[in-house]
Amino acid sequence: ETDKLLRGGNLATRSPFSPGHLYNLLDQHKKNATILTYEYRFGHVSKLYVSIGPDQVPIVYRSEYNVSFVGLEKLHPFDATKWRHVFQYLKDAGLVNEETVSKPNEATVEDLLLVHTKHGAGMSPPIAEIPPIAFVPNFLIQSCYLRPMRFQTGGSILAGKLALERGWAINIGGGFHHCSSNKGGGFCPYADITLLINFLLKYEQQHVKSAMIVDLDAHQGNGHEHDFLKHPNVYIFDMYNCGIYPRDVQAKNAIRRKVELYNLTQDTEYLHKVDRNLEESLGEFHPDILVYNAGTDILDGDRLGLMAISSERKIPIVMLTSGGYLKKTARIIADSILNLNQKGLISKKQTFSRHNE
């Protein structure tokens, strides 16, 4: 009966009970079903905030992340199943398995409309990076490419919730930092970073009133920068190669801590700049959550220390793996996550919870 009522529309007008009471009923009836729902515009009930059990870890993945484009993906030199390979490496190392991994739901059109326009929801975005795909029927684009991306977007949103509960969360996918609420680009059809933060600001406003994005992908994160141009509660630290795509001058206005690099920047210089600018950023701004868009172009065993800083300062952190599609990328991502575990910076046990404060 509760399910019927939840599907029926606006809880506040259709129910003699409070929404909180109904959600408690739902939890009692579905203790192990794992779905916590949130109602927003037009009575839509999202199923993206999934509850995980105590034996599960806040590493988010499911097999639907992977892209298979009837062989056309081979026309581009990237690993379209890198997410499966990352999971397999972590599984082989004993960190996670099919029972303990956190499995997200697919972001629906209604979920995407929290920030996207109907057009910008990316139901048919241009896939210009692989020209032959422009001639593929839309239903194949939907099922073979966009559906996996919607699962990854759901994974980023779920990771935000899990980070609040466990102190950290890692989405093996996501990090579509070139997509804004009304425009995709650079293999990024959905604005998952914007969605992650907006879900938290809207539905976890008791715990999250501000957020920091630390974008260390080699490319400028122009998508989320366009979305948070006039948002004082979102601080963006972006460190990127200014000589490569996208060179978005307008988006730079949203960056509160901008570090532009050039080709052939050496490791020592790079790490020094990360450390110094991260400390200064956290001195200027005190976020309730930190979104770490890692990028595997520069990621090496989390030498960057973001997870350590987050743990020390008790700032929940969400890590998204973002770009990097070479065959070696999956191994780099997996090794980085395993290194975090070995250093004790992530743990299967709950570290801290803003929900309990």
Side-chain angles (χ1 to χ4, degrees):
E1 289 301 314
T2 308
D3 278 332
K4 290 178 184 176
L5 187 55
L6 285 171
R7 287 195 296 267
N10 190 315
L11 294 178
T13 59
R14 291 175 182 249
S15 171
F17 306 107
S18 70
H21 177 67
L22 285 172
Y23 290 131
N24 287 335
L25 283 175
L26 184 62
D27 280 342
Q28 289 169 17
H29 288 301
K30 293 187 171 181
K31 230 171 192 177
N32 300 317
T34 74
I35 293 177
L36 294 174
T37 56
Y38 284 75
E39 182 197 9
Y40 58 86
R41 60 197 300 185
F42 311 121
H44 170 63
V45 177
S46 176
K47 294 184 179 179
L48 295 181
Y49 272 5
V50 175
S51 176
I52 65 172
D55 295 329
Q56 291 180 273
V57 292
I59 294 176
V60 184
Y61 168 79
R62 65 185 296 161
S63 60
E64 287 88 344
Y65 277 20
N66 299 283
V67 174
S68 176
F69 230 133
V70 293
L72 287 176
E73 71 276 3
K74 296 175 183 176
L75 297 172
H76 194 281
F78 67 55
D79 181 0
T81 58
K82 73 169 187 176
W83 307 280
R84 178 184 300 136
H85 297 145
V86 174
F87 176 72
Q88 188 62 48
Y89 289 135
L90 298 180
K91 182 181 174 182
D92 291 344
L95 181 61
V96 72
N97 58 45
E98 284 81 0
E99 286 70 44
T100 58
V101 73
S102 299
K103 296 180 181 177
N105 289 320
E106 177 184 358
T108 65
V109 176
E110 289 81 6
D111 292 320
L112 299 172
L113 285 172
L114 183 63
V115 302
H116 283 287
T117 61
K118 200 131 193 169
H119 173 73
M123 291 298 99
S124 264
I127 314 295
E129 292 91 345
I130 311 176
I133 291 179
F135 302 101
V136 174
N138 182 58
F139 78 92
L140 281 178
I141 294 176
Q142 288 288 330
S143 61
C144 298
Y145 179 69
L146 293 179
R147 185 170 180 265
M149 298 301 102
R150 289 195 292 270
F151 271 105
Q152 292 193 33
T153 298
S156 295
I157 294 168
L158 172 59
K161 169 189 177 288
L162 297 182
L164 287 186
E165 297 173 353
R166 299 290 186 92
W168 66 274
I170 297 171
N171 184 14
I172 287 178
F176 306 138
H177 67 158
H178 296 308
C179 185
S180 67
S181 59
N182 59 10
K183 185 179 180 182
F187 296 108
C188 299
Y190 304 114
D192 68 321
I193 295 175
T194 303
L195 282 159
L196 186 167
I197 291 172
N198 275 280
F199 260 73
L200 291 173
L201 291 173
K202 190 173 181 70
Y203 302 116
E204 295 287 355
Q205 52 190 262
Q206 261 191 305
H207 309 288
V208 179
K209 294 180 172 61
S210 63
M212 177 180 287
I213 300 169
V214 176
D215 196 334
L216 298 182
D217 186 275
H219 301 260
Q220 178 195 355
N222 61 322
H224 58 73
E225 288 163 8
H226 277 291
D227 287 338
F228 294 116
L229 264 169
K230 297 179 180 179
H231 203 309
N233 290 339
V234 177
Y235 183 107
I236 298 174
F237 165 22
D238 197 353
M239 186 163 167
Y240 57 92
N241 184 338
C242 61
I244 59 176
Y245 175 87
R247 299 189 185 95
D248 192 325
V249 175
Q250 183 185 9
K252 290 181 184 181
N253 294 322
I255 305 173
R256 306 266 282 274
R257 173 72 50 169
K258 178 177 63 178
V259 183
E260 296 190 331
L261 303 173
Y262 299 90
N263 292 333
L264 305 178
T265 298
Q266 298 299 307
D267 283 0
T268 303
E269 178 189 355
Y270 179 86
L271 294 171
H272 173 72
K273 287 185 175 181
V274 171
D275 291 342
R276 179 169 58 83
N277 285 283
L278 183 60
E279 284 292 341
E280 291 178 3
S281 295
L282 289 169
E284 294 174 2
F285 190 82
H286 306 287
D288 294 319
I289 193 160
L290 194 154
V291 179
Y292 171 23
N293 196 48
T296 51
D297 312 87
I298 47 78
L299 188 63
D300 184 4
D302 194 53
R303 294 175 301 168
L304 312 173
L306 269 175
M307 303 296 273
I309 289 171
S310 169
S311 179
E312 290 165 6
R313 299 182 183 229
K314 292 200 176 298
I315 303 171
I317 183 167
V318 183
M319 176 176 163
L320 309 174
T321 59
S322 194
Y325 297 95
L326 299 177
K327 298 298 181 185
K328 65 180 182 179
T329 296
R331 180 80 261 182
I332 294 172
I333 295 171
D335 284 347
S336 300
I337 295 171
L338 292 171
N339 188 53
L340 293 172
N341 184 56
Q342 289 164 5
K343 289 182 177 180
L345 297 176
I346 61 175
S347 169
K348 292 182 181 181
K349 296 181 180 179
Q350 182 168 328
T351 52
F352 66 91
S353 170
R354 287 292 173 97
H355 283 172
N356 297 331
E357 290 181 358

